[in-house]
Amino acid sequence: MVKFKNCEKRQEDSMSNRKLKRKRIMRYFIDATNVIIEEEGLECVTIRKVADAAGYNSATLYNYFNNIDHLIFYASIKYLSDYAQALPKYTKDAADSYELYLRIWQCFCDYSFRNPKIYYLVFLGEFGHTYPDVIKEYYTIYPDYLKKIPSRLTDMLTKNDLCQRNLILLQKCASEGLFCETDLGELNEMTLLVYQGLLLRAMNTAPEALDSVAMAQLANEYIERLAGFYRDKPLGGDR
């Protein structure tokens, strides 16, 4: 029995070590990708450049990432960290779930319109649907990014499906009687259409002509109007 327990412990230790090694090597590749993005631009990232910068060969990279787009998707999440770190400041005095909802959107818009291509890639591009658990795994590789985040926000922050993230917040509002449960799907879809449309407009605007502050303010204004309309609608009543 003692031998069996010792063997079981060795197996657990071995599995734990393999997981740690996997996270460590993934981090090398992700960090190398971020350096290339910052120094040369997103479009200059290649498998060979990343492998050379990380100190591994290209074949090793494919043991951890499906392709270059998969790796770039991981690397892009770094640029959400400023938003995540700013959230507690934006939301600390929110009186209820409705105010919390609006303040989270304000923070999200303020940061996403500064870097629309990255936010589109993570939340609205095809890879967000292809790799639905990337953000959750990313925060296990870089756990420090969530250390100062209130627990009420972590469930939302670890999802890269924007529809799910927003619905979590709307459901909290509905549980406090601030929205009608049957309106959530419609409100969620309309809110995301507004955000996506304005983010696409920002992406298609030349960087030197883009006023990210004005775009964020416009997005927040539209989102607040939509939310206010559904909040003021009588529960269970007609518009």
Side-chain angles (χ1 to χ4, degrees):
M1 188 67 174
V2 173
K3 288 183 179 179
F4 176 77
K5 285 184 176 179
N6 288 339
C7 179
E8 190 176 55
K9 186 178 185 306
R10 285 196 296 272
Q11 288 177 340
E12 289 175 354
D13 289 343
S14 177
M15 286 180 63
S16 177
N17 288 336
R18 284 199 297 271
K19 287 180 180 178
L20 288 173
K21 180 183 177 183
R22 175 179 174 80
K23 288 179 182 178
R24 185 177 69 251
I25 295 177
M26 286 181 73
R27 188 164 182 157
Y28 291 152
F29 285 123
I30 293 168
D31 288 347
T33 304
N34 284 133
V35 170
I36 296 168
I37 290 173
E38 289 162 12
E39 292 182 353
E40 303 179 42
L42 188 65
E43 65 282 354
C44 293
V45 178
T46 66
I47 290 288
R48 178 172 293 182
K49 282 184 181 179
V50 172
D52 288 345
Y56 289 88
N57 60 46
S58 299
T60 302
L61 188 149
Y62 286 105
N63 292 329
Y64 301 90
F65 303 94
N66 296 344
N67 49 47
I68 190 63
D69 292 322
H70 190 202
L71 173 57
I72 288 173
F73 189 51
Y74 268 94
S76 297
I77 298 169
K78 174 187 175 181
Y79 302 97
L80 309 183
S81 62
D82 287 345
Y83 152 68
Q85 296 303 312
L87 262 180
K89 182 178 178 181
Y90 274 73
T91 61
K92 66 178 180 179
D93 297 324
D96 55 24
S97 292
Y98 179 77
E99 192 172 345
L100 177 69
Y101 172 75
L102 294 180
R103 291 191 182 193
I104 287 173
W105 265 111
Q106 181 185 0
C107 183
F108 190 70
C109 289
D110 285 353
Y111 282 86
S112 62
F113 282 94
R114 296 177 191 175
N115 206 341
K117 288 183 179 179
I118 290 292
Y119 276 77
Y120 189 91
L121 174 68
V122 173
F123 293 109
L124 299 169
E126 62 179 293
F127 301 115
H129 301 289
T130 306
Y131 309 115
D133 298 318
V134 166
I135 288 183
K136 184 178 289 187
E137 185 172 12
Y138 182 88
Y139 285 127
T140 69
I141 300 170
Y142 298 88
D144 289 348
Y145 286 161
L146 288 182
K147 274 188 176 179
K148 297 180 181 179
I149 305 299
S151 57
R152 64 178 178 169
L153 301 176
T154 52
D155 185 37
M156 180 268 296
L157 281 173
T158 53
K159 290 181 169 49
N160 47 298
D161 185 323
L162 201 55
C163 181
Q164 288 183 10
R165 288 167 72 109
N166 199 49
L167 192 57
I168 287 170
L169 301 174
L170 292 175
Q171 286 169 339
K172 289 180 180 178
C173 293
S175 71
E176 294 180 14
L178 300 166
F179 291 129
C180 179
E181 189 76 34
T182 56
D183 287 333
L184 297 188
E186 184 176 276
L187 174 55
N188 193 26
E189 182 177 14
M190 292 174 72
T191 302
L192 297 185
L193 284 171
V194 166
Y195 173 75
Q196 182 175 353
L198 289 173
L199 195 69
L200 280 169
R201 183 188 296 180
M203 286 175 61
N204 293 326
T205 302
E208 63 275 11
L210 177 63
D211 186 340
S212 60
V213 174
M215 289 291 288
Q217 289 175 342
L218 184 61
N220 278 308
E221 180 183 340
Y222 288 164
I223 289 167
E224 187 170 351
R225 283 187 191 180
L226 270 173
F229 173 80
Y230 282 93
R231 180 197 57 183
D232 296 335
K233 175 187 170 185
L235 296 181
D238 297 327
R239 292 183 180 83

